[in-house]
DNA sequence: ATTACTAAAACTCGAGTAA
DNA sequence: TTTACTCGAGTTTTAGTAA
């Protein structure tokens, strides 16, 4: 489904004047650069010794100093020794190198919210059908999710790892289905998340009341069991996307 | 041997902290983890071989594979081999590890905008005094920056590195001084950035029209030259903070 | 085609130490 | 005090292969 796209090695190739730093040491250098930025070297000059830098990154004074030397030679930091007080600051280039790292992580965490899950089909106890048959719910669906759901939910069990991944959906905002009162009892609200179940469009239903547990429920315009020929214990792939 | 579902379960021996990975290899592991996330392994399962990962991170297939093994043993990724198709995804723990990196960079780049500069006092050509004496400007200052500026600006020359650092100020939003028309000519607007000049409060003035160049101008409630006993070529330290 | 082992080469480490 | 060199020891690399 996906391939590993080329050309995203963070700091591809800046002008490499002196020694070619191995990729490996480069990522350590960036760690040091980040530690220095956290200490304020990105917005001004700070006083630090190589020993302190070493303590910070869990290495000896010698190793830390080697890093500082490499960073200096690469043009990422500028150092001056003022008598006994070594001073240091990130250069514009050094800040850019860190920013590139930041942007690449930012794209991961701030990009559009999508999630792929897989689980196995299980039988519910018919509550799905019961709830969907309540007029209070039924009349909301067509205008909000664009179809009248097939009267029955597909229940999918997630294993531990998938459950942890799905936990993120709790933070998402989906399409709201309101709660209501009828027949002397209260029916709670729910959130619908657009989904593809085995490639078929539908929605994940996340009731306000229940904690996220090991079974998630889906609605769709048609019977997913029939359309996808699913039986209990069939594996299904699910794609979710925040609207 | 293992089915897909079996293999996806991270590992039965999760409470085993196992080998302590050195700090050094850990930052390389995170680099691999990030490359995998960029390829989509954070939101689903991707197909990728150790050779491709190696190409991506600039290393041999063997080295890449050792990283994947380490990440797998650490519980940061889950792998399955489906015949010829090796598949892989980040675990919740692996995503958290990346997120921690992201947060630490985020604090650097999204924190309150502050900047320390230093430069050398130079003489202007008296334009500062001329502009500040224009009623159209003068009447705006007290209500916007809280004081009537001493009638004259302090000009500070920045060297190349400081200039690059100061370029960031162009993106900042400061306190607005509006342009106006008077005596048949147009006076442009400017932005004021709160500053401490040698510890003394004042504002950097950034006219809309000029590009950022090697000299920046400051206003203050008093004569900074007198208060700080500055003469031409005196070094000054400057702190800027976005309001 | 893969993954992943072995072993020699290449690095990197910290101790010692000069400046 | 610093920074930063050399050097022996320990790690990590890639090439060659097995599975």
């Amino acid at each position: 489904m996906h391939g590993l796209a080329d050309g995203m090695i963070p700091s591809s190739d800046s002008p490499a004047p002196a020694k070619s730093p191995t990729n490996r040491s480069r990522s350590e250098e960036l760690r040091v650069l980040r530690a220095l930025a956290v200490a304020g070297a990105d917005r001004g000059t700070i006083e630090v010794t190589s020993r302190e830098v070493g303590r910070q990154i869990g290495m000896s004074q010698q190793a830390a100093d080697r890093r500082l030397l490499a960073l200096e030679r690469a043009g990422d930091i500028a150092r001056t020794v003022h008598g006994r007080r070594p001073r240091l600051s990130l250069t514009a280039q050094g800040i850019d190198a860190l920013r590139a790292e930041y942007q690449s992580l930012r794209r991961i965490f701030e990009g559009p919210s999508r999630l792929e899950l897989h689980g196995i089909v299980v039988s519910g106890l018919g509550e799905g059908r019961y709830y969907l048959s309540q007029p209070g719910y039924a009349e909301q669906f067509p205008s909000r999710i664009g179809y009248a759901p097939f009267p029955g939910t597909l229940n999918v069990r997630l294993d531990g790892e998938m459950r942890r991944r799905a936990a993120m959906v709790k933070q998402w905002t989906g399409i709201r289905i309101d709660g209501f009162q009828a027949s002397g009892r209260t029916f709670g609200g729910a959130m619908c998340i657009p989904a593809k179940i085995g490639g078929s469009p539908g929605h994940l239903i996340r009731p306000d009341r229940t904690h996220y547990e090991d079974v998630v429920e889906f609605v769709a315009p048609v019977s997913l069991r029939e359309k996808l020929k699913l039986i209990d214990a069939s594996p299904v792939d699910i794609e979710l996307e925040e609207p």
Side-chain angles (χ1 to χ4, degrees), chain A:
Chain A
M1 203 169 257
H2 300 80
L4 195 62
D6 318 17
M8 75 66 46
I9 295 173
S11 66
S12 42
D13 47 315
S14 320
K19 265 192 253 182
S20 54
T22 64
N23 279 331
R24 181 143 140 287
S25 30
R26 184 57 183 168
S27 70
E28 268 296 292
E29 284 174 25
L30 286 167
R31 196 162 73 96
V32 176
L33 214 51
R34 197 177 62 199
L36 295 173
V38 167
D42 59 326
R43 29 192 68 166
T45 302
I46 61 171
E47 280 181 19
V48 273
T49 66
S50 56
R51 183 174 303 281
E52 288 167 325
V53 174
R55 234 168 39 82
Q56 185 65 31
I57 61 169
M59 282 185 165
S60 68
Q61 172 267 321
Q62 294 90 331
D65 188 62
R66 261 194 300 271
R67 256 79 205 241
L68 293 177
L69 272 173
L71 285 169
E72 193 175 17
R73 290 199 258 255
D76 292 322
I77 63 171
R79 286 198 291 176
T80 55
V81 185
H82 250 206
R84 297 278 157 79
R85 307 215 138 67
R87 300 165 103 358
L88 165 167
S89 69
L90 266 60
T91 62
Q93 178 189 316
I95 291 171
D96 284 346
L98 269 190
R99 200 198 314 278
E101 296 261 294
Y102 172 57
Q103 296 295 3
S104 120
L105 285 166
R106 198 179 134 76
R107 247 169 269 135
I108 295 168
F109 289 107
E110 309 294 346
S113 294
R114 283 189 56 254
L115 210 58
E116 291 171 27
L117 301 173
H118 46 264
I120 53 170
V121 172
V122 294
S123 285
L125 298 168
E127 323 95 315
R129 177 165 311 225
Y130 169 71
Y131 286 116
L132 290 178
S133 71
Q134 294 293 321
Y137 286 130
E139 68 197 9
Q140 293 184 53
F141 282 114
S143 62
R144 308 218 174 161
I145 63 174
Y147 58 86
F150 172 84
T153 59
L154 181 75
N155 298 285
V156 175
R157 160 163 287 133
L158 305 175
D159 70 23
E161 183 57 36
M162 285 301 139
R163 214 148 61 225
R164 274 189 286 280
R165 195 189 285 179
M168 184 179 294
V169 176
K170 270 189 283 194
Q171 332 277 9
W172 292 10
T173 59
I175 298 159
R176 186 95 213 115
I177 296 294
D178 299 314
F180 59 94
Q181 309 242 349
S183 321
R185 61 161 286 194
T186 298
F187 293 82
M191 200 69 100
C192 302
I193 310 283
K196 293 215 178 216
I197 305 98
S200 252
H203 288 79
L204 181 153
I205 303 289
R206 178 162 59 79
D208 297 339
R209 294 285 172 71
T210 55
H211 284 257
Y212 227 93
E213 291 176 34
D214 57 339
V215 174
V216 289
E217 289 185 87
F218 295 88
V219 296
V222 299
S223 165
L224 292 168
R225 278 195 182 245
E226 279 183 25
K227 179 173 178 191
L228 303 170
K229 310 207 188 322
L230 299 172
I231 57 169
D232 280 3
S234 298
V236 278
D237 289 331
I238 296 148
E239 271 180 56
L240 301 177
E241 182 147 6
E242 191 171 17

